[in-house]
Amino acid sequence: MLLLISAKTLLMLINTVILKTIIQLQTNMQIIQHTRDFVINNLSVSSKNIDLDKLMVIAERLTKFTPPAPKKPKKQVQTTNANIPLYLKSGSVDIKNIKTGNIVVKNLTARKMSIRRNKFYLDDIKAGVFDGIVKANVIVNLINSEIKLKSTGEKINADKMVVQAANMKDTLSGTLKYKTELSFVGGTPEQTMKSLKGYVDFEILKGQLGPFGKIENLILSENIRESAVFSNVIGDVIKNMATINTSHFDKMTSKITFRNGIMNIGSIATEGDCLSLLIFGK
């Protein structure tokens, strides 16, 4: 594919994006003549600051200069035996600061990085986010874009997580730890959701739920409020009761699984002085 960019456009892209995100690469490589394999012996990636949102600008602008893809033939060529002649023997990552949206990741490192048999491996990942520590291993299939993720996290501020990641205030607080193993095909959001499978286990200590965690909001929900039992037997009692700190909990535990676009809540259980809850469903 031939990509044509004018000098003026290239300078504009450099001024708006590249100069604000400095990525240093150190590598040595070779081409094996008899197999035509491109081999990178070592690759070190380091940066003091990466703004992912600004880096996406260059990708979006470059697409304007990319020629249209050729029309697909009527008969599709089988690609089951496709091979990418690229190998990375070893590598590492050290990035001090990564920002995307309101999320800031600090001191991201990966001690092992390699490419072999059409798969990209990034192991021993460690980073600081939401006041906690996250560790992970990632495998990316370069042929079919399947991503496999194993990750654990601890000492995470749940309130910061839901506010910065989902802009949901006063929804959940506490100190979170988790363990997850997921796989999905990267692509469109719909493709990702339909292919997502795996599990997430988490525990939150000394926290508080949002409004839906208060007993009065649960009991006064429309389907319960309109029932005959509620209105005739305990309606007057519930309407006049006063509750204190029913949304606070000492411990919340959960196991959630994903398969074929369906999220199965095995259970979400909370334990507190004033209220304990058990939630499950799909």
Side-chain angles (χ1 to χ4, degrees):
M1 181 182 292
L2 181 62
L3 187 64
L4 299 176
I5 305 177
S6 68
K8 181 178 179 181
T9 301
L10 185 59
L11 286 173
M12 178 186 66
L13 293 174
I14 291 175
N15 288 331
T16 57
V17 179
I18 300 300
L19 292 180
K20 296 179 182 179
T21 301
I22 300 176
I23 303 175
Q24 296 178 345
L25 302 176
Q26 295 181 351
T27 185
N28 60 79
M29 59 192 70
Q30 62 180 330
I31 298 176
I32 301 176
Q33 295 295 335
H34 64 279
T35 61
R36 295 185 179 180
D37 290 337
F38 187 74
V39 178
I40 302 174
N41 294 316
N42 182 70
L43 175 64
S44 298
V45 181
S46 62
S47 178
K48 291 183 178 180
N49 180 67
I50 294 179
D51 191 319
L52 293 179
D53 299 325
K54 291 178 179 178
L55 281 178
M56 290 302 296
V57 173
I58 193 169
E60 294 174 358
R61 293 181 179 177
L62 283 174
T63 57
K64 298 178 181 180
F65 303 94
T66 304
K71 294 182 179 179
K72 294 182 179 180
K74 293 182 180 180
K75 293 183 178 180
Q76 298 293 326
V77 179
Q78 297 293 328
T79 59
T80 54
N81 296 322
N83 181 63
I84 298 176
L86 174 64
Y87 293 87
L88 170 61
K89 291 185 177 181
S90 66
S92 61
V93 176
D94 184 2
I95 302 173
K96 300 303 181 185
N97 190 80
I98 301 178
K99 182 179 181 296
T100 176
N102 295 320
I103 301 173
V104 178
V105 179
K106 298 285 188 180
N107 299 317
L108 186 147
T109 59
R111 295 185 178 182
K112 299 179 182 179
M113 180 169 58
S114 63
I115 298 175
R116 60 185 186 274
R117 299 186 183 91
N118 303 317
K119 291 182 180 180
F120 172 73
Y121 296 84
L122 196 59
D123 298 322
D124 294 342
I125 303 170
K126 185 177 180 180
V129 63
F130 309 127
D131 297 339
I133 300 294
V134 171
K135 299 179 181 179
N137 294 320
V138 177
I139 302 175
V140 181
N141 189 312
L142 301 176
I143 300 296
N144 61 16
S145 301
E146 182 185 29
I147 299 173
K148 294 183 178 180
L149 168 69
K150 291 183 179 180
S151 177
T152 60
E154 59 182 6
K155 299 180 180 179
I156 295 172
N157 186 317
D159 180 55
K160 282 190 176 182
M161 182 183 70
V162 295
V163 170
Q164 294 178 11
N167 196 27
M168 298 171 63
K169 297 181 179 180
D170 303 322
T171 303
L172 180 65
S173 66
T175 302
L176 177 146
K177 69 176 182 179
Y178 75 87
K179 179 180 180 181
T180 184
E181 186 171 338
L182 299 171
S183 67
F184 54 92
V185 176
T188 65
E190 182 180 1
Q191 186 181 23
T192 299
M193 292 302 298
K194 287 184 177 180
S195 62
L196 180 64
K197 59 182 178 180
Y199 72 89
V200 178
D201 293 347
F202 69 83
E203 176 184 277
I204 304 176
L205 300 178
K206 301 296 181 182
Q208 182 177 4
L209 290 165
F212 73 91
K214 294 183 178 181
I215 187 65
E216 60 267 39
N217 291 338
L218 291 173
I219 294 178
L220 294 177
S221 60
E222 185 175 353
N223 60 328
I224 297 177
R225 187 175 65 248
E226 293 179 352
S227 69
V229 174
F230 179 88
S231 58
N232 296 330
V233 180
I234 61 174
D236 292 336
V237 176
I238 297 298
K239 288 178 182 179
N240 295 322
M241 77 175 185
T243 60
I244 302 174
N245 292 335
T246 56
S247 62
H248 287 261
F249 58 84
D250 296 322
K251 182 179 180 181
M252 173 190 286
T253 57
S254 177
K255 184 175 182 66
I256 301 173
T257 59
F258 303 89
R259 188 171 181 84
N260 299 326
I262 297 175
M263 180 176 71
N264 181 51
I265 302 175
S267 66
I268 297 179
T270 65
E271 301 173 11
D273 293 335
C274 299
L275 178 69
S276 294
L277 292 174
L278 176 63
I279 304 171
F280 58 91
K282 293 185 179 180

